[in-house]
Amino acid sequence: MAAFRRSSRSARVLVPAAVAVVLLAGCAQGSGGAASAAGPTSRAGETPAAAPPSSGASVTVTPTPSGPAAPGTLLVTDFGSETVTFVDPSRGSTGSVKVGTAPYGLVVGKDGRAWVATAEGVAVVDTATRERLALVPYRTDTGPVTTGEYRGGGMGIALSPDGRRVYVGVNVPGGNGTLEVVDTSSLRVTDAVEVGRRPFDVDVSRDGSEVYATNHDSFDVTVVASDTLRTRRVEVAPYGTEGGLGSWLKPHYAAVRPSDGKLLLPFEGERLAVVDPRTGRTTIEPMTADTHQHGVTVTADGTLFAVGTGPIDPDEDHGPSLTVRTPAGAERVYPLEGPHESVAVSRDGRTAYVTGGFTRDGYWDGLTVVDLASGDTHRLAAGSRPLGIAVL
């Protein structure tokens, strides 16, 4: 294993404590709506069932689709708006569907329905007809609906392997979040359990027995048993927790490694935290991009894709990039222009799509298409601050 580069990050990237209290949380000062005070978080069994989902849709498509989206069409969440946008990788946007305020993560089931975490609830979109079927309200009280990095409401979202449940991480500004469970048949929230602060990402084990909420502001992953909703906290802090809410060095997104079910969480293009959710043990492997990292995905063969958003310190760190890491640990780093947030990979594994929405300031309205063989990249206008992404 390669030696780790000595890093002074823990000494130079932490926001002073007094400033951290003002900022509340995150990678840096937020963009968009400020965090709002919220009432107490509800837990499973403590509140009545959620209100019935609302229906209706607002669809704008140009040109009008003649049928289901072609295989390989992309779907992105427009964090800067209230829509999801369909994207043809060769020519750009082909239409949008209104889903709810500041949509964040999304997941698409085998039946073609997309589940979108918005500030208002989980939107259900039929990707064939391009219409919103429902908006399932959260059980958790997240305060007034706002926009921006610290807004309350859904963030990470995942689908159970059997397609019967959707799990969404709900941010509660100023406090711990919840993991809510949506029944995909009744379109209602059936359970909610407390997790950590600002659940950026949600993942599910391959057998569906566990759900993992990656909590940015509490330096941890909450492991949730899907049958009992019992929780375990696993701290993931390869640089320590000094600086608290003002630290840059917190987990963002995770991927479940297909070979053994361990969680892969990249940090700063320097360290890959490999977390065994069964034991809570974390091992660290070196990375090479040397840049602040956010979104990740992993392909069936275990190849990891990690988005580098840009330098913390431009004098010492590298710029935005996409790291492609083989199961053996070999890495290829593709330089990118400007900030990015999330990544998806084409069905044939030849192309990566990296969204430009970015959680912080400095976002742009499009995505970068990366030819993984040649390294060629080009930008594609798509949506409004596109954040989450899926390949249909």
Side-chain angles (χ1 to χ4, degrees):
M1 181 177 291
F4 288 102
R5 180 174 65 83
R6 294 190 63 183
S7 173
S8 59
R9 288 189 189 278
S10 59
R12 63 182 170 85
V13 304
L14 300 177
V15 178
V19 178
V21 172
V22 176
L23 295 185
L24 285 180
C27 299
Q29 190 167 6
S31 57
S36 303
T41 301
S42 59
R43 301 189 187 188
E46 294 182 352
T47 62
S54 59
S55 61
S58 174
V59 185
T60 304
V61 178
T62 305
T64 301
S66 57
T73 297
L74 311 175
L75 186 65
V76 299
T77 57
D78 295 323
F79 193 56
S81 182
E82 52 185 11
T83 56
V84 292
T85 294
F86 293 83
V87 183
D88 182 320
S90 63
R91 58 191 178 96
S93 303
T94 63
S96 300
V97 177
K98 183 176 179 180
V99 290
T101 303
Y104 194 97
L106 82 160
V107 63
V108 180
K110 295 178 181 178
D111 59 1
R113 287 190 296 175
W115 304 83
V116 186
T118 80
E120 303 173 56
V122 176
V124 188
V125 176
D126 186 320
T127 60
T129 61
R130 300 193 181 192
E131 62 179 336
R132 191 184 78 179
L133 303 177
L135 181 66
V136 183
Y138 301 119
R139 177 180 291 185
T140 305
D141 180 6
T142 63
V145 174
T146 61
T147 61
E149 181 180 354
Y150 302 105
R151 66 127 175 91
M155 299 187 75
I157 191 167
L159 189 64
S160 64
D162 61 10
R164 296 173 59 186
R165 293 169 300 280
V166 166
Y167 302 99
V168 57
V170 180
N171 178 43
V172 179
N176 284 344
T178 61
L179 182 76
E180 297 205 357
V181 184
V182 177
D183 183 283
T184 59
S185 296
S186 66
L187 299 182
R188 292 177 181 269
V189 173
T190 59
D191 288 292
V193 62
E194 186 174 289
V195 293
R197 301 186 71 153
R198 272 217 294 166
F200 261 56
D201 196 17
V202 174
D203 296 277
V204 182
S205 64
R206 296 187 70 187
D207 63 3
S209 64
E210 292 183 331
V211 185
Y212 312 113
T214 300
N215 310 302
H216 180 267
D217 286 356
S218 48
F219 296 90
D220 59 25
V221 170
T222 303
V223 180
V224 182
S226 61
D227 54 354
T228 64
L229 295 187
R230 291 180 180 175
T231 63
R232 291 181 289 113
R233 177 183 182 268
V234 178
E235 182 174 281
V236 186
Y239 293 90
T241 61
E242 182 184 355
L245 295 181
S247 173
W248 287 71
L249 308 176
K250 294 181 284 191
H252 293 86
Y253 298 83
V256 179
R257 188 159 64 186
S259 61
D260 57 9
K262 292 182 180 180
L263 306 180
L264 306 176
L265 298 95
F267 286 78
E268 309 307 317
E270 293 182 336
R271 304 179 185 184
L272 179 67
V274 182
V275 179
D276 186 336
R278 295 176 293 276
T279 65
R281 295 177 181 174
T282 299
T283 57
I284 304 297
E285 299 177 7
M287 298 188 75
T288 60
D290 191 18
T291 188
H292 191 58
Q293 288 174 315
H294 276 207
V296 298
T297 193
V298 66
T299 53
D301 66 355
T303 301
L304 178 69
F305 293 74
V307 179
T309 67
I312 292 176
D313 184 345
D315 292 333
E316 296 190 27
D317 306 330
H318 296 161
S321 63
L322 175 66
T323 292
V324 180
R325 181 185 179 92
T326 70
E331 293 187 347
R332 181 174 178 180
V333 178
Y334 299 80
L336 301 176
E337 180 185 350
H340 292 74
E341 183 72 18
S342 301
V343 59
V345 182
S346 63
R347 302 290 185 193
D348 62 11
R350 298 177 180 177
T351 309
Y353 309 103
V354 194
T355 60
F358 197 20
T359 315
R360 291 185 55 231
D361 294 326
Y363 59 86
W364 56 284
D365 294 337
L367 53 87
T368 295
V369 180
V370 183
D371 184 304
L372 297 172
S374 67
D376 292 340
T377 66
H378 69 272
R379 285 193 172 202
L380 188 66
S384 173
R385 194 174 177 177
L387 204 68
I389 184 170
V391 179
L392 301 181

